[in-house]
Amino acid sequence: AQKITQTQPGMFVQEKEAVTLDCTYDTSDPSYGLFWYKQPSSGEMIFLIYQGSYDQQNATEGRYSLNFQKARKSANLVISASQLGDSAMYFCAMREGPNAGNNRKLIWGLGTSLAVNP
Amino acid sequence: DTAVSQTPKYLVTQMGNDKSIKCEQNLGHDTMYWYKQDSKKFLKIMFSYNNKELIINETVPNRFSPKSPDKAHLNLHINSLELGDSAVYFCASSPQGRMNTEAFFGQGTRLTVV
């Protein structure tokens, strides 16, 4: 069963607008962490933002924020004021706690390709 | 000051050859990983080492053999290369046992088998 689901293979957004990239996850471990990475066309993997399962507030990092809805098991990435340089693949990932017994590896979604139009 | 560096960045080789990809991290992390990213961008973990000890081996053909001479290095050796091995291989590292720390990635090695 897929533990991280990114339902949007591709998204388009106009420059300067906000965009939400969806991520839902599945775990029975009460302790877990959620990550978003960006992969531009140059290929490197860039860490964007982290949300812990026990964090009281939604994570924010500059123009990136995470809409964390624990009951719905969703951790959507919101990019505000999109820029052309935001065009990239975006990956959601989860690390489960020690109860999961999977050596706490990162579990990855299939990614969403975002294109920012001028 | 590169945190996770892998060499080479590009590797083009013929089927049947043996090749190695090297990875080094200067972050002092205990855990290192190898990932394979296929043409559809799917990231699949291959191996994970913690303090030179193999802790994850994800059903990878035994033509792939990781080697960790010390906790700062994790090399990947591939024997008898096949066309299906063409992919981007990423090395990554993270501190041991910390939930909230991201994995730091190398720049990737694009392997093309012809």
Side-chain angles (χ1 to χ4, degrees):
Chain A
Q2 208 165 342
K3 289 206 169 191
I4 294 283
T5 303
Q6 295 181 253
T7 56
Q8 307 149 314
M11 289 279 287
F12 294 92
V13 65
Q14 284 298 122
E15 198 177 3
K16 298 179 187 173
E17 292 186 351
V19 63
T20 297
L21 306 183
D22 294 343
C23 174
T24 58
Y25 59 92
D26 182 27
T27 181
S28 56
D29 197 323
S31 175
Y32 53 90
L34 298 155
F35 302 80
W36 277 92
Y37 281 80
K38 171 185 178 181
Q39 187 177 37
S41 58
S42 50
E44 69 268 35
M45 294 288 286
I46 303 166
F47 166 72
L48 296 178
I49 195 166
Y50 167 82
Q51 180 82 46
S53 59
Y54 294 119
D55 292 346
Q56 296 295 314
Q57 294 190 327
N58 286 347
T60 60
E61 287 286 347
R63 293 186 299 112
Y64 303 110
S65 61
L66 212 150
N67 183 0
F68 181 45
Q69 298 188 45
K70 197 169 180 177
R72 298 176 67 177
K73 293 188 175 177
S74 75
N76 299 338
L77 177 70
V78 181
I79 306 175
S80 62
S82 296
Q83 301 172 357
L84 296 178
D86 294 335
S87 295
M89 281 288 287
Y90 288 82
F91 292 95
C92 180
M94 176 175 67
R95 178 180 284 138
E96 293 171 301
N99 295 336
N102 63 2
N103 290 312
R104 305 174 76 178
K105 64 185 178 185
L106 278 172
I107 302 164
W108 296 84
L110 297 179
T112 295
S113 177
L114 176 67
V116 180
N117 297 326
Chain B
D1 207 16
T2 308
V4 182
S5 62
Q6 358 176 167
T7 54
K9 189 169 182 184
Y10 300 97
L11 185 52
V12 181
T13 187
Q14 290 190 322
M15 276 173 55
N17 283 351
D18 303 339
K19 290 293 178 187
S20 292
I21 308 171
K22 296 189 175 183
C23 179
E24 175 181 5
Q25 53 97 3
N26 62 8
L27 298 165
H29 290 166
D30 301 296
T31 306
M32 295 185 72
Y33 312 84
W34 276 109
Y35 285 91
K36 178 181 180 181
Q37 188 176 43
D38 62 23
S39 57
K40 295 188 175 167
K41 301 291 187 178
F42 178 59
L43 262 171
K44 177 178 162 51
I45 191 165
M46 301 173 68
F47 302 103
S48 174
Y49 270 73
N50 189 54
N51 280 318
K52 301 194 298 173
E53 183 182 341
L54 179 67
I55 57 171
I56 296 176
N57 183 343
E58 288 280 317
T59 321
V60 177
N62 57 15
R63 298 183 295 105
F64 291 79
S65 51
K67 292 265 186 336
S68 183
D70 55 62
K71 77 172 195 178
H73 295 84
L74 180 61
N75 303 324
L76 183 65
H77 188 75
I78 315 170
N79 288 329
S80 304
L81 277 154
E82 300 177 357
L83 293 176
D85 297 332
S86 295
V88 180
Y89 292 84
F90 283 99
C91 176
S93 74
S94 65
Q96 180 188 2
R98 286 174 58 181
M99 176 70 72
N100 63 342
T101 306
E102 71 272 25
F104 291 78
F105 281 77
Q107 77 273 32
T109 296
R110 183 174 293 277
L111 172 65
T112 304
V113 183
V114 298

